[in-house]
């Protein structure tokens, strides 16, 4: 789903332990996540079975207070939340 139409706040990039590089931005606005859905990825499952199955990249979307979001986010994603909060405080 497209983000709200507004100026983007660049929160930079962070390399994850897996080697994946995340580039994140924030946008002020309203976003209804009721009908949100994820892209999928394919992998062999069960491992070694030769069967390829598709799985959603994200299982659900929701809005959370900062303290709760900090707990729900993956450890490697928390610095983006901190960067967002730094911009909100300035």
């Amino acid at each position: 789903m497209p983000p709200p139409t507004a100026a983007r706040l660049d929160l930079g990039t962070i390399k994850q332990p897996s080697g994946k590089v995340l580039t994140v931005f924030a946008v002020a606005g309203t976003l209804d996540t009721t009908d949100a859905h994820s892209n999928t990825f394919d992998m062999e499952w069960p491992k070694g079975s030769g069967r390829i199955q598709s799985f959603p990249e994200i299982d659900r979307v929701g809005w959370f207070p900062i303290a709760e979001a900090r707990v729900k986010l993956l450890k490697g994603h928390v610095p983006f939340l901190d960067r967002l909060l730094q911009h909100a405080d300035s």
Side-chain angles (χ1 to χ4, degrees), residues 73-84:
L73 287 171
L74 294 173
K75 182 180 177 181
H77 298 183
V78 172
F80 291 116
L81 181 60
D82 294 334
R83 292 175 186 180
L84 179 61

Side-chain angles (χ1 to χ4, degrees), residues 6-84:
R8 291 182 177 194
L9 172 61
D10 179 17
L11 297 177
T13 61
I14 297 176
K15 187 173 183 177
Q16 301 297 290
S18 67
K20 184 186 291 187
V21 176
L22 300 180
T23 302
V24 175
F25 65 90
V27 177
T30 302
L31 184 65
D32 180 5
T33 62
T34 304
D35 294 325
H37 61 277
S38 176
N39 59 313
T40 59
F41 66 94
D42 295 335
M43 67 180 280
E44 181 183 24
W45 189 257
K47 187 175 181 180
S49 69
R51 288 183 48 205
I52 302 298
Q53 296 190 48
S54 293
F55 299 92
E57 185 78 28
I58 298 170
D59 63 352
R60 61 185 165 263
V61 177
W63 295 111
F64 302 97
I66 298 296
E68 191 175 346
R70 187 174 297 283
V71 174
K72 288 184 175 288
L73 287 171
L74 294 173
K75 182 180 177 181
H77 298 183
V78 172
F80 291 116
L81 181 60
D82 294 334
R83 292 175 186 180
L84 179 61

